[in-house]
């Protein structure tokens, strides 16, 4: 049965919780509701994915240890098909687990056990990111490409479509909003949210590499997204928004 919160008409952001531990679901639901968010909680991936056919949450909290599906597979599918921000909540504390989750499209990673206040702060940080832009500017044209941020799709001059994830879209929008200007790692971290450090840097490297591949860039000599070693990145395209 679809959670009634999914059908609410209030403008409060909707946060979904996918975790098979009832205590975690109850704790997060109460804390997020007290903070002014709508919530919908699910114990199984199948229930969660069925609910997504009717709505798009603003933020998805996803545990990796699910009883019916690999949590990383859920994260990857969400990144490709949903416009929601994705925050992994997991007891897996290894650096490689965090890196893998971010590489597959998660926007943030919180290790259990956690304080609900930290989760609320991370959710608010994702909602302040470029994930929910002005709907009047959801299409950008540059160097033969068109980026459709409402459908998470790139279209080339021949009409061929290349999908991009929400996480990749955040980085692409950041570049397209500041063409021919240096964007430092610190600026990326402050704008996109997330904790600074090796995991964040690795996630940015992966997202930029994937964007270059999708744009047909030569990895040894990219034309559009240039790396300025020790400083950051510059996007060299001519950009028009509509």
């Amino acid at each position: 049965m679809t959670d009634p919160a999914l059908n609410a008409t209030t403008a409060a952001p909707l946060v979904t919780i996918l975790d098979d531990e009832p205590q975690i679901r109850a704790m997060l639901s109460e804390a997020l509701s007290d903070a002014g968010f709508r919530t919908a909680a699910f114990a199984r991936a199948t229930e969660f994915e069925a609910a997504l056919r009717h709505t798009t949450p603003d933020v998805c909290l996803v545990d990796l240890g699910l009883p019916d599906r690999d949590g990383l597979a859920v994260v990857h599918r969400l990144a490709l098909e949903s416009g929601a921000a994705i925050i992994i909540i997991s007891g897996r504390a290894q650096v490689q687990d965090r890196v893998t989750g971010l590489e597959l499209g998660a926007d943030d990673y919180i290790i259990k056990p956690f304080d609900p206040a930290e989760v609320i702060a991370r959710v608010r940080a994702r909602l302040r990111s470029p994930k929910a832009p002005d709907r009047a500017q959801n299409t950008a044209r540059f160097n033969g490409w068109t980026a459709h941020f409402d459908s998470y799709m790139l279209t080339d001059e021949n009409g061929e479509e290349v999908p991009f994830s929400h996480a990749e879209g955040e980085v692409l929008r950041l570049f397209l909003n500041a063409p021919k200007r240096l964007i430092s790692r610190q600026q990326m971290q402050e704008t996109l949210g997330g904790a600074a450090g090796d995991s964040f840097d690795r996630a940015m490297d992966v997202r930029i590499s994937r964007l270059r591949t999708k744009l047909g860039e030569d990895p040894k000599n990219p034309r559009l997204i240039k790396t300025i070693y020790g400083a950051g990145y510059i996007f060299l395209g001519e950009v028009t928004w509509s």
Side-chain angles (χ1 to χ4, degrees), residues 5 22 39 41 95 102 119 131 145 152 195 221 225 227 238:
T39 65
V95 171
L102 294 168
V119 178
K131 157 278 154 206
W145 289 94
Y152 293 87
N221 186 30
I225 305 173
T227 300
E238 299 288 342

Side-chain angles (χ1 to χ4, degrees), residues 9-10 12 14 19 21 34 71 94 110 131 150 154 162 166 183 189 204-205 222-224 229 239:
T9 57
T10 177
L14 173 61
D19 195 301
E21 299 182 57
D34 289 346
Q94 297 298 316
I110 303 175
K131 157 278 154 206
D150 53 351
L154 286 164
V162 181
H166 165 72
I183 299 176
Q189 188 272 326
M204 292 303 102
D205 289 341
R223 297 178 302 109
L224 289 175
Y229 291 99
V239 182

